[in-house]
Amino acid sequence: MIIRDVNLETVCGITSRLPENTRPEVAFAGKSNVGKSSLINTLMNRKSLARTSSQPGKTQTINYYNVNRELYLVDLPGYGYAKVPQSEKEKWGRMIERYLHTSSQLRAVFLLIDIRHEPGANDKTMYEWICANGYEPVILATKLDKIKRSQLQKQLKLIREGLGVRSGTQMIPFSSQTKQGREEVWKLIEELCMGSDIGVGDIDAAIK
């Protein structure tokens, strides 16, 4: 199978109608400064497919990245940024909830948590919210390169206990700098979207 393209296909704002896709979707949620755009760029092996910024809160839309017209990586608005007015946060929240309720193709939600810190109140709320909408989020512990290897298990335990995750919840340490965790994430996406017959090697071939 030859994969030909990876692109940002659809951008949905607060009042936009969400697309009725016919391909599998996997969504990514996380706090505004958790490195979500960097993670998406790393997964795609691109430097600037998803825009990164020194100012948190840049993603204010739902962005659909089409991988070879076979599956979508869906970037949800970042949450928890203090400088954003409460009214705006509520609008973003309603937009995320609308997506979780209406997407017929959503296979899984990946929740990004900064491995260096205990999950905050917004992280806990998002985790519980995703679960309440019928999904068991996969936890991606980002910024792995910022801690020592000896701290890994301690920090994963901190996240696990801080979120109060259910038994059996998958947690994947991830670094956009070293790309550690990238293969594990793609393997899981492949398992979730088996109908697409996409493999990690095919994706790499498309984006190099």
Side-chain angles (χ1 to χ4, degrees):
M1 180 178 188
I2 300 173
I3 296 183
R4 294 173 295 278
D5 55 23
V6 179
N7 62 81
L8 174 58
E9 180 179 287
T10 308
V11 177
C12 293
I14 292 171
T15 60
S16 301
R17 180 178 178 178
L18 299 178
E20 297 179 1
N21 292 323
T22 59
R23 300 297 186 184
E25 299 171 5
V26 290
F28 295 82
K31 197 155 51 178
S32 296
N33 60 351
V34 77
K36 190 152 50 66
S37 294
S38 295
L39 179 140
I40 289 174
N41 285 331
T42 299
L43 289 178
M44 297 296 192
N45 205 23
R46 296 283 185 88
K47 292 183 177 180
S48 57
L49 185 66
R51 295 183 180 179
T52 60
S53 173
S54 59
Q55 296 181 339
K58 190 174 183 63
T59 303
Q60 302 177 15
T61 54
I62 298 178
N63 299 330
Y64 292 76
Y65 295 92
N66 187 326
V67 181
N68 195 39
R69 301 180 184 179
E70 293 286 350
L71 65 86
Y72 292 91
L73 300 191
V74 182
D75 185 7
L76 301 177
Y79 58 83
Y81 185 44
K83 292 185 179 181
V84 174
Q86 183 61 33
S87 59
E88 197 71 12
K89 293 179 184 178
E90 292 173 356
K91 289 179 182 178
W92 294 354
R94 288 194 294 270
M95 182 163 51
I96 295 172
E97 185 173 30
R98 180 161 58 99
Y99 171 73
L100 294 177
H101 277 310
T102 61
S103 174
S104 62
Q105 295 296 332
L106 182 58
R107 298 293 190 266
V109 181
F110 290 85
L111 178 60
L112 281 63
I113 304 291
D114 189 330
I115 198 169
R116 299 173 297 177
H117 309 298
E118 181 179 2
N122 287 316
D123 294 317
K124 296 176 186 178
T125 298
M126 181 56 69
Y127 174 77
E128 294 169 358
W129 195 16
I130 294 170
C131 291
N133 277 279
Y135 297 93
E136 182 64 45
V138 177
I139 309 301
L140 297 183
T142 63
K143 306 191 179 183
L144 176 61
D145 53 285
K146 303 295 184 182
I147 66 169
K148 297 178 181 179
R149 182 177 298 182
S150 61
Q151 297 176 296
L152 176 59
Q153 294 306 318
K154 175 185 176 182
Q155 295 307 115
L156 290 178
K157 181 180 179 181
L158 192 68
I159 293 174
R160 190 177 295 109
E161 294 179 348
L163 292 178
V165 298
R166 301 173 183 176
S167 176
T169 296
Q170 297 187 69
M171 297 183 65
I172 302 175
F174 193 95
S175 169
S176 294
Q177 294 295 319
T178 67
K179 297 187 179 182
Q180 184 171 339
R182 178 177 180 273
E183 296 299 314
E184 289 87 343
V185 173
W186 272 125
K187 181 180 179 181
L188 182 54
I189 291 174
E190 181 184 2
E191 292 173 355
L192 295 167
C193 306
M194 285 298 290
S196 62
D197 293 327
I198 287 180
V200 174
D202 295 324
I203 292 168
D204 284 338
I207 55 187
K208 286 183 179 179

